Amino acid sequence: MEEMEEELKCPVCGSFYREPIILPCSHNLCQACARNILVQTPESESPQSRRASGSGVSDYDYLDLDKMSLYSEADSGYGSYGGFASAPTTPCQKSPNGVRVFPPAMPPPATHLSPALAPIPRNSCITCPQCHRSLILDDRGLRGFPKNRVLEGVIDRYQQSKAAALKCQLCEKAPKEATVMCEQCDVFYCDPCRLRCHPPRGPLAKHRLVPPAQGRVSRRLSPRKVSTCTDHELENHSMYCVQCKMPVCYQCLEEGKHSSHEVKALGAMWKLHKSQLSQALNGLSDRAKEAKEFLVQLRNMVQQIQENSVEFEACLVAQCDALIDALNRRKAQLLARVNKEHEHKLKVVRDQISHCTVKLRQTTGLMEYCLEVIKENDPSGFLQISDALIRRVHLTEDQWGKGTLTPRMTTDFDLSLDNSPLLQSIHQLDFVQVKASSPVLATPILQLEECCTHNNSATLSWKQPPLSTVPAEGYILELDDGNGGQFREVYVGKETMCTVDGLHFNSTYNARVKAFNKTGVSPYSKTLVLQTSEVAWFAFDPGSAHSDIIFSNDNLTVTCSSYDDRVVLGKTGFSKGVHYWELTVDRYDNHPDPAFGVARIDVMKDVMLGKDDKAWAMYVDNNRSWFMHNNSHTNRTEGGITKGATVGVLLDLNRKTLTFFINDEQQGPIAFENVEGMFFPAVSLNRNVQVTLHTGLPVPDFYSSRASIA
């Protein structure tokens, strides 16, 4: 209904139509607004002058806007009434709904009549503010246009539907909301007043009661206005002129201009046109439905374009990053070659320096020795060694022959990097086609925003690159062992998301994924580093507990409906690291023996914890405690529990020990040693005990310091 409101408003005043009239162009105007936008035309353009000149133009012929110069599309919002001395240039105005309208050429003459009844100036012209088509009024003026009674009725019904609730007219104080209206009594009643003042019996039984909204409409429309003939105001429409396409009265048929036209019964044409309008509306409704679906499609396209743009940008960045990585790797290789050449040159020069230094030292020593021999004054002694010294000197001199004092290595690097082909390729890098047609299976991309860890579980998500055209049949997810060891397959399948449970706490894992199809496998994705939680957050597990266990407080609090002991496990298992959790005793009646500890997943659930070889526990009453495994009791320790007590369990899988605490004090010695494997927190209790689990706790300080000393 609200979407229809614009159809019910005048294009001039922007308000709901008041006494609307129908222009020959099928648009509507308020009668008062039509009077306001009249302009006066020259005498030569009047209907009387046209009849006098013998032209066969009817009273409702349209006038060309260009010829009349009433409005020019080339101007910027101003119209001039060209050719009329009495009509100065006047700016056109805009109505509230954005339609440009023309103001009257001059103020209307003063009159004591209402605006609707004031006389129309002669030779008046009206321009439709919606289609800008103009026509000259005849002697009847605005009375020559039919009144749109249907539009008035639609506006009345629309306003009634939006009006406030009607009140009862017979309530004495604080009138209640009316529920019915009597059409005969013309009174609105609430239910109590209707039963009291308008009983459904006697002479009032024949009165017709209607809903308040319908009653208000019928009250306002009871003196229903009947559409009358525009040529004969006292006559109602009785027939329909097929040629002129308008209702006419019987006088129009007998003596008016419709006497020779084909006419049909008004009721038959009313039904026929209603049927035609309904059929036309069906087609328009289909178009409107298609338009809504098309708008949804366009909005989806906007979203898809945005998503594809993000993916395409990510792919482009990844491809450029891959090129940059490859260039960096090649740069490192080339730098390694330069460094190798550098070391080789230095080694050769240093070796030559060392060799030349030794040789020079020997030569210098020989020269000094020969000088001392030359100083000898004993001829016979000198001649005994002179030949040998002369040969040694010549031999040493020959050793310093050609090439000995020439550098074996140049200082220049005989390497030249030709990067022009690569630069040319980079400059030619462009989008050749929208999608690559390479048959190579693309590398999956890990979606970092969706990968996460929780406790000792890791969730990984990946996808194919948006430009990949080769479909993948499945994916292989691999994780290492948390200590930097070898990768192992943890998932093979078609899904693009996987959660891996049972990892070690406080450990760092490396993950990677690759795609495969019948042609082979893709390269691995980039390696993702995942860090599991340092401490564990968990609750009791209803799925593995005995049916007598009662859960509350988001599965953190448990009790039992049986007098026999029943076992409940925690949801998280431990196989590595140091873990500590506590249980507070919320209820403790009749001195039962609850047990606390750890167990395998297949522990017996209908006996006390520690009765079988799948559990390691401490059971305790109000005075003392015992450690129990495989139904063997050991280490009786004084000190028990009461309501409000706290029991701590410390599982140190690094040292393979299990230790218990009561109210922050260690209870007895280390309870169990050499414990290995996968353990779940466990409790056994009966209906006299209720405990609450507290997790995510750090290891007690005194234990941490003692472990560091050990």
Side-chain angles (χ1 to χ4, degrees), residues 618-649:
M618 176 189 73
Y619 72 96
V620 57
D621 59 15
N622 61 328
N623 293 319
R624 61 193 68 83
S625 65
W626 295 263
F627 303 144
M628 185 165 63
H629 169 63
N630 199 16
N631 205 22
S632 174
H633 307 253
T634 59
N635 296 99
R636 169 175 167 173
T637 304
E638 296 299 319
I641 60 173
T642 60
K643 180 180 179 181
T646 299
V647 177
V649 182

Side-chain angles (χ1 to χ4, degrees), residues 245-401:
K245 300 184 181 302
M246 60 182 298
V248 295
C249 67
Y250 80 96
Q251 288 192 14
C252 292
L253 300 179
E254 291 182 356
E255 56 190 34
K257 57 185 179 182
H258 303 281
S259 58
S260 60
H261 295 173
E262 179 186 0
V263 295
K264 290 188 177 181
L266 189 65
M269 294 305 296
W270 172 58
K271 294 181 180 179
L272 176 62
H273 281 208
K274 272 196 172 183
S275 175
Q276 292 176 351
L277 180 59
S278 298
Q279 293 176 0
L281 281 177
N282 290 335
L284 186 60
S285 176
D286 293 339
R287 299 291 83 77
K289 182 179 179 181
E290 293 176 0
K292 290 181 180 179
E293 295 174 352
F294 181 63
L295 284 175
V296 173
Q297 179 183 355
L298 291 179
R299 293 189 181 99
N300 293 336
M301 286 182 63
V302 170
Q303 182 179 359
Q304 190 64 37
I305 289 173
Q306 293 174 343
E307 294 176 356
N308 291 343
S309 174
V310 172
E311 292 185 359
F312 193 86
E313 289 178 4
C315 180
L316 179 61
V317 170
Q319 289 176 324
C320 293
D321 288 345
L323 293 176
I324 295 173
D325 292 341
L327 185 60
N328 287 331
R329 288 194 298 270
R330 188 58 180 167
K331 181 180 72 172
Q333 294 172 359
L334 295 176
L335 287 175
R337 288 183 57 184
V338 172
N339 291 332
K340 185 177 180 180
E341 183 70 13
H342 168 251
E343 295 296 333
H344 173 66
K345 286 180 176 292
L346 288 179
K347 183 177 184 303
V348 171
V349 174
R350 286 168 180 167
D351 289 345
Q352 192 173 10
I353 290 173
S354 176
H355 178 72
C356 189
T357 301
V358 172
K359 202 169 180 88
L360 178 61
R361 186 182 304 115
Q362 293 173 352
T363 301
T364 303
L366 179 60
M367 290 172 58
E368 291 178 353
Y369 175 67
C370 290
L371 291 175
E372 291 298 326
V373 170
I374 291 174
K375 294 177 182 180
E376 183 61 45
N377 296 323
D378 183 7
S380 60
F382 176 79
L383 291 174
Q384 287 179 349
I385 63 172
S386 60
D387 289 336
L389 286 177
I390 291 171
R391 286 195 302 272
R392 286 186 61 188
V393 169
H394 285 300
L395 181 62
T396 302
E397 184 181 1
D398 291 340
Q399 290 178 352
W400 289 102

